[in-house]
Every structure is written in C-alpha cells, then in structure tokens.
Amino acid sequence: MSDNPPRMDYRQHRRARRLVHECCNYDGGNCLLLDDGEPCVCVQSISLSLMCRWFRVAVLPLDGELAAALLYRGSRKRCAVCGAAFVPKSNRGKYCPDCAGRMKKIKAAERKRKQRHKCHALEPFKPA
C-alpha cells in the first residue's frame, strides 16, 4: 500500500461508518487499540480516508464492493450481469463472485443443450 491512504467520497464514508460498528475493537465510539487508560475516538469513524490498518485488513473485506472501490482502484472491473465492482482473480474475470456461480450453471446448461441438439438426442428416432 502506498504512503497516502485512499480518500473516500461521502457515500463511501457512510458505508465505512456502518462497517466500523462490526470492528472487534469498536466500543461505543471508542477504539480499544488506541485506549491507553483514557478513551480515544475511533479514527476510522471520523476520517474520510482509510487510517486504521486493522479496519483495512479485517473489517473492510466484509463489504467487497467498497473494498474493491477503495483498495483496488486500478485493477477492479464491473460485473457483466449486475454491474457491481469487484477485483477479478484473473485477467479473464467477467463476473463478481455472487454472479459467477449462477452464470457457471447457466452456461453449462446451455452447452449441454447445444451438445444434445447436435447429436439428435432429443429426436424421437435417430436418422439412418
């Protein structure tokens, strides 16, 4: 990761603020990691950039689309089915993880249907 943390727009900031509550170090607006006897406000909940390394590594992957938008700006793609942003596992990736399984089933059914039609398996009798 580079020295300057990624900046968020307002929508991304709101989504990140909702995710902050899922952090195991979040305690009523305070961060347990920064607590040295005196309560300290969670920096991720008040910042427009990704300041907390724990949040970046452990909490942000819970929202895959937001993580792709913030961490992988150059290497992310849009899903061909639903349009969500995702980071492909290879250079041929077209679908987000949610749509990939569904599209795999659809393509397999289409391929088998074409194969059966080609060998006349659906015909009432085989040609002589």
Side-chain angles (χ1 to χ4, degrees):
M1 196 95 213
S2 62
D3 292 336
N4 51 355
R7 303 276 302 163
M8 295 184 268
D9 61 12
Y10 183 72
R11 285 182 144 169
Q12 292 170 338
H13 176 66
R14 295 297 300 162
R15 287 175 72 176
R17 290 261 327 247
R18 280 189 221 108
L19 275 179
V20 166
H21 296 283
E22 300 294 323
C23 184
C24 63
N25 296 315
Y26 183 80
D27 182 34
N30 298 321
C31 182
L32 296 176
L33 287 178
L34 300 176
D35 189 4
D36 58 348
E38 218 173 283
C40 184
V41 176
C42 177
V43 292
Q44 193 56 57
S45 64
I46 60 174
S47 176
L48 281 175
S49 58
L50 288 176
M51 300 298 289
C52 181
R53 282 186 285 161
W54 181 262
F55 179 81
R56 187 182 304 162
V57 172
V59 182
L60 191 58
L62 294 175
D63 187 351
E65 188 174 345
L66 182 62
L70 293 176
L71 299 178
Y72 308 102
R73 291 179 192 244
S75 61
R76 68 180 180 172
K77 287 186 176 182
R78 291 262 176 213
C79 178
V81 176
C82 66
F86 74 101
V87 178
K89 293 179 182 172
S90 70
N91 62 344
R92 293 174 39 178
K94 284 175 55 175
Y95 308 112
C96 67
D98 297 334
C99 298
R102 188 172 21 149
M103 290 307 294
K104 184 177 178 180
K105 287 181 183 178
I106 290 171
K107 296 281 187 181
E110 184 179 314
R111 185 176 60 250
K112 290 302 280 184
R113 194 176 302 118
K114 186 177 177 182
Q115 180 185 8
R116 287 186 196 110
H117 181 71
K118 200 173 189 180
C119 72
H120 306 290
L122 298 178
E123 298 283 326
F125 61 93
K126 295 223 177 222

